[in-house]
Amino acid sequence: MGNPPELYHRILNIPRETSPQEIRAAYKSLVKKWHPDKHPPSSKPEAEARFKAITEAYEALLDQQENRAVFGVCCNDGRAGEKAMACGVVGGGGAHIARTRSDDFGARMAPGTPAREFKKVYSSGNSGGRRAFAEFSSSIMRKAPPLERKLDCTLEELCHGCKKEVKFTRDVVTKNGSIVKKEVSQMVLVKPGWKKGNKITFEGMGDERPGCLPADAVFVISEKKHPVFKRVGNDLVLKAEVPLVSALTGWSFSFRLLSGKKVSCSFQDEIICPGYEKIIKGEGMPIADQKGARGDLRVKFEIAFPKQLTDEQRDGLAQILRGCAWD
């Protein structure tokens, strides 16, 4: 289990060798971000937990910098106070001073909070103090498992982008510690080019659990099946069925893109072979995070053969094919 100073440095996100000025700068930056009064009710529990941890880490590290002997009385084993007095750093009341500072430190927290319970053990100067702090810090930084849900989108919505309102139910911890269900709604901004599997995360909007930070609410993009197009990466695939006679003698057809734009394809001077694929550049899906870039549209042709022919049709077809150039 790590020493308390290491946990303090981790909470303030600073290296171990940090000056008091740097500690103060990190503290000011973090308390501005996590002050509970600046957060809505949905994220207030997380803000309060982080604010308490940040304040405790700041005060403890400053104490350590300013008076290492006093800090040793709190954090080391039972002989630390004797060692400090032997060095002439702390007077006979050193242990009392350490307890007084720790009491003041914990008294700033509301009654009944984990910080107050931790203070009772930590300020006693016994070997269990270090273990109590580690457990306390762990409970502050632990997060409940994310609340994950599917967000169905049409191919058109993923192509053009859209806003979708999502409603979901989450567990909320009340003031008396009980858990109740609460329905909330959020607006999701779907960006053009997003794919199946893309995730949108709302921090702290998932389930709440006593002693934990609120979980995140995560929505995973799911793609609805389209009646005409199939998405393959950033490309769109369109399957076109061509009658055999049209494949041999010429054929034209038209269709609309996801944008509504009409596209026509004409094959008058060429034969459409089975498996033939026509690629229309830049008419596929937008490529996310690449402004103006798009995939391609791939039109795959499937030849529809007649299910049966009469003898007369067979003979006529045979005569026609014998006169064709096969090379």
Side-chain angles (χ1 to χ4, degrees), residues 19 31 89 102 131 135 192 199 260 311 316 326:
S19 67
V31 294
V89 178
S102 184
R131 183 174 66 253
E135 291 172 357
K199 293 184 177 182
D311 292 340
W326 294 95

Coordinates of all heavy atoms in Angstrom, one line a residue, residues 19 31 89 102 131 135 192 199 260 311 316 326:
S19 N 7.4 22.3 -5.3 CA 7.6 23.4 -4.3 C 6.2 23.8 -3.8 O 5.2 23.5 -4.4 CB 8.2 24.6 -5.0 OG 7.3 25.1 -6.0
V31 N -9.5 23.5 -7.3 CA -10.7 23.8 -6.6 C -11.6 24.7 -7.4 O -12.8 24.7 -7.2 CB -10.3 24.6 -5.3 CG1 -9.6 23.6 -4.3 CG2 -9.5 25.8 -5.5
V89 N 13.3 19.0 17.3 CA 12.4 19.7 16.3 C 11.1 20.0 17.0 O 10.5 21.1 16.8 CB 12.2 18.9 15.0 CG1 11.3 19.6 14.1 CG2 13.6 18.6 14.4
S102 N -4.7 17.9 12.9 CA -5.5 16.9 12.2 C -6.9 17.1 12.6 O -7.8 17.0 11.7 CB -5.0 15.5 12.6 OG -5.7 14.6 11.8
R131 N -3.3 3.1 6.8 CA -4.3 2.2 6.1 C -5.6 2.9 6.0 O -6.2 2.8 4.9 CB -4.4 0.9 6.9 CG -5.4 -0.1 6.2 CD -5.4 -1.4 7.0 NE -6.0 -1.3 8.3 CZ -5.4 -1.4 9.4 NH1 -4.0 -1.5 9.4 NH2 -6.0 -1.2 10.6
E135 N -7.6 3.7 2.4 CA -9.0 3.2 2.1 C -9.9 4.4 1.8 O -10.7 4.4 0.9 CB -9.5 2.5 3.3 CG -8.8 1.1 3.5 CD -9.2 0.5 4.9 OE1 -10.0 1.1 5.6 OE2 -8.8 -0.6 5.1
P192 N -21.6 14.1 -38.6 CA -21.6 13.4 -39.9 C -20.4 12.4 -40.0 O -19.3 12.8 -39.7 CB -21.4 14.5 -40.9 CG -22.0 15.7 -40.2 CD -21.6 15.5 -38.8
K199 N -18.9 6.1 -29.4 CA -19.4 6.2 -28.1 C -19.5 7.7 -27.7 O -18.6 8.5 -28.0 CB -18.6 5.5 -27.1 CG -18.7 4.0 -27.2 CD -17.9 3.3 -26.1 CE -18.0 1.8 -26.2 NZ -17.3 1.1 -25.1
G260 N -30.5 12.9 -51.4 CA -31.7 13.2 -52.2 C -31.3 13.5 -53.6 O -32.2 13.5 -54.5
D311 N -38.1 -23.9 -76.5 CA -37.1 -24.4 -77.6 C -36.9 -23.4 -78.6 O -35.7 -23.2 -79.1 CB -37.7 -25.7 -78.2 CG -37.8 -26.9 -77.2 OD1 -37.0 -26.8 -76.2 OD2 -38.6 -27.8 -77.5
G316 N -33.1 -19.5 -81.1 CA -32.8 -18.1 -81.5 C -31.7 -17.5 -80.8 O -30.8 -16.8 -81.4
W326 N -16.2 -13.2 -79.1 CA -16.0 -13.6 -77.7 C -14.6 -13.2 -77.2 O -14.3 -13.4 -76.0 CB -16.1 -15.1 -77.7 CG -17.5 -15.6 -78.0 CD1 -17.9 -16.0 -79.2 CD2 -18.6 -15.7 -77.1 NE1 -19.2 -16.4 -79.1 CE2 -19.7 -16.2 -77.8 CE3 -18.7 -15.4 -75.7 CZ2 -20.9 -16.4 -77.2 CZ3 -19.9 -15.6 -75.1 CH2 -21.0 -16.1 -75.9

